[in-house]
Amino acid sequence: MAEKSSVVALLLAAGSGVRLKSPVPKAFVQLRGATLLQRSAKTLAESPSIDQIVVALPPDLTADHPLRASLPSGVTAVAGGPTRSQSVASALAAAAHSEVVLVHDAARPLLSVALVEAVLQALRLGDVDGAIAAVPLTDTLKLAAAAQDGGPPPPQSLPLVAATIPREGLFAVQTPQAFLRRALARALAQPPEVLAQATDDASLIEGIGGRVVLVPSFAGNIKITTEEDLKLASALLCALQRD
Ligand code: CTP
Ligand code: MG
């Protein structure tokens, strides 16, 4: 009998949240009665394809730290690293055997079970190394000039526009991102300076020639970066009547 294909979710919560300026690490910030980490973990746990959740935590969150009490039950906790990629590598090292892994930022607490299953389904069906949540860009994009253009100085030293970038074919990328485990492991074996620059895992796989597909997501799957994002997430939860 064929073995049920298992998926391990790597949940990244080891960042400190410098831009949010909160007294606790960002993943432990409250959003309508639950932490960002609890919300992300709950959705992953409710996704039928996910068998294990490995959470990368800030390295200084030692076993006796009071914040540990708020960790969702059933998750495997590991110490993350100084960069996002190092946190992914630490979580991957602690993951049970699985052909597929799903990476998610705890900073995106509004993900849905449907989105998790959609990226996993795209990976299963396609002959690809990765399948990632993405939304087509809707704003017009401008490139700011690196230096003055020789004309009169702009008001308040505001940046001048150097060019308008056609947005056709451009996507904003989110997590969750699903990968063949062997592809992710190969991507993470690149030199530290390459890993340190990466803001997502798909780019590391693309960098070694891997094939990645874009899976339609929803704009409400926002990343909490600033205080304004927390307010927006709270309003979205309210409007969508999600608890
Ligand atoms: N992350 C991580 N390990 C790191 C850095 C980031 O696990 N060394 C995780 C964060 O916890 C977050 C996700 O990667 O869930 C995306 O990172 P980001 O939004 O930049 O979060 P922070 O690094 O915490 O925020 P900031 O950059 O403002 O400090
Ligand atoms: Mg960061």
Side-chain angles (χ1 to χ4, degrees):
M1 194 173 66
E3 209 178 303
K4 176 178 172 267
S5 81
S6 65
V7 178
V8 176
L10 312 180
L11 182 53
L12 301 180
S16 50
V18 170
R19 290 167 289 179
L20 187 59
K21 303 188 189 91
S22 79
V24 293
K26 186 161 77 177
F28 292 86
V29 166
Q30 293 279 333
L31 170 61
R32 285 192 168 262
T35 66
L36 305 187
L37 174 53
Q38 286 169 335
R39 286 185 174 278
S40 295
K42 180 168 184 280
T43 302
L44 293 173
E46 286 170 358
S47 301
S49 301
I50 304 289
D51 299 301
Q52 187 197 15
I53 302 171
V54 181
V55 183
L57 296 175
D60 55 350
L61 221 75
T62 48
D64 56 346
H65 196 286
L67 283 178
R68 287 257 183 170
S70 70
L71 274 187
S73 62
V75 302
T76 305
V78 298
T83 67
R84 188 182 175 285
S85 296
Q86 283 171 290
S87 296
V88 176
S90 301
L92 186 62
H97 173 77
S98 66
E99 274 183 26
V100 171
V101 292
L102 180 122
V103 180
H104 183 65
D105 291 342
R108 289 192 193 268
L110 270 59
L111 86 163
S112 66
V113 170
L115 182 60
V116 169
E117 295 298 321
V119 294
L120 289 170
Q121 182 72 348
L123 185 70
R124 281 187 201 113
L125 294 181
D127 184 12
V128 292
D129 302 291
I132 64 179
V135 286
L137 289 184
T138 52
D139 289 331
T140 296
L141 302 181
K142 302 283 181 192
L143 179 71
Q148 285 289 340
D149 62 354
Q156 301 165 312
S157 309
L158 294 171
L160 277 168
V161 172
T164 299
I165 314 285
R167 69 165 174 242
E168 209 191 321
L170 290 183
F171 287 77
V173 161
Q174 310 169 341
T175 63
Q177 303 193 346
F179 303 109
L180 297 181
R181 186 185 188 132
R182 61 174 182 275
L184 182 60
R186 252 203 327 270
L188 290 169
Q190 294 178 87
E193 59 275 17
V194 175
L195 300 186
Q197 295 302 318
T199 53
D200 79 346
D201 308 288
S203 59
L204 292 171
I205 290 183
E206 295 151 30
I208 55 170
R211 277 154 45 91
V212 176
V213 282
L214 300 164
V215 180
S217 180
F218 54 100
N221 180 29
I222 62 168
K223 182 156 80 81
I224 308 297
T225 304
T226 63
E227 185 65 37
E228 191 184 4
D229 298 325
L230 260 186
K231 290 185 184 137
L232 188 58
S234 177
L236 278 169
L237 282 171
C238 207
L240 299 171
Q241 298 189 314
R242 281 173 61 175
D243 53 24

